[in-house]
């Protein structure tokens, strides 16, 4: 059973920083793309950042220059470094991974449970 578990969310003041982590566990043959989405109350889920297995990244314009995505393939973990946080960054952040488990033996998209990030003074 593949699981993605996020950590690192919390309450931070405007201008502060947080680092989110998301680790994939279980019987895994391989992982392709990983990334982060977020969903604020009353809004649709939106893409924040993605990273391929070879390290190519894509970051949403709304967070470009403030957020950075990285991954450790040996640990099956993806990170989101968030700097200069703003109140509009408040949302539940979800990680995902395109994963090939040992069972079932096909690629699928797996999601974490979400971690709350609140930016407020």
């Amino acid at each position: 059973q593949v699981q993605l578990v996020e950590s690192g969310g919390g309450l931070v003041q405007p201008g502060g920083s947080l680092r989110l982590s998301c680790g994939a566990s279980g019987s895994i043959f391989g992982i392709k793309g990983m990334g982060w989405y977020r969903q604020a109350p009353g809004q649709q889920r939106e893409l924040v950042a993605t990273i391929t297995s070879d390290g190519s990244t894509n970051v949403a314009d709304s967070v470009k220059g403030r957020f950075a995505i990285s991954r450790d393939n040996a640990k099956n973990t993806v990170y989101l470094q968030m700097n200069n946080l703003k109140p509009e960054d408040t949302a539940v952040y979800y990680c995902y991974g395109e994963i090939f488990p040992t069972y079932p033996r096909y690629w699928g998209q797996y999601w974490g449970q979400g971690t709350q990030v609140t930016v407020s003074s």
Side-chain angles (χ1 to χ4, degrees):
Q1 185 83 10
V2 173
Q3 285 189 314
L4 274 71
V5 179
E6 298 124 333
S7 62
L11 173 64
V12 63
Q13 292 186 341
S17 297
L18 284 174
R19 189 191 193 209
L20 304 183
S21 300
C22 173
S25 63
S27 296
I28 297 172
F29 269 134
I31 303 178
K32 292 194 292 188
M34 301 186 81
W36 295 89
Y37 280 72
R38 67 184 181 185
Q39 186 166 20
Q43 298 189 22
Q44 290 187 329
R45 190 174 293 192
E46 65 170 348
L47 176 68
V48 177
T50 62
I51 185 167
T52 64
S53 56
D54 63 359
S56 296
T57 63
N58 179 48
V59 180
D61 288 343
S62 58
V63 302
K64 197 166 290 184
R66 300 187 297 121
F67 290 14
I69 188 170
S70 62
R71 66 190 281 174
D72 184 332
N73 290 333
K75 297 181 179 179
N76 290 339
T77 298
V78 62
Y79 305 96
L80 185 68
Q81 178 66 45
M82 305 185 293
N83 299 324
N84 190 21
L85 282 158
K86 303 177 180 181
E88 52 263 40
D89 295 318
T90 295
V92 177
Y93 285 70
Y94 298 90
C95 73
Y96 79 90
E98 299 171 82
I99 298 174
F100 193 104
T102 57
Y103 182 84
R105 292 187 175 225
Y106 52 80
W107 290 100
Q109 192 167 66
Y110 293 80
W111 291 86
Q113 80 286 356
T115 186
Q116 177 70 46
V117 171
T118 302
V119 185
S120 175
S121 55

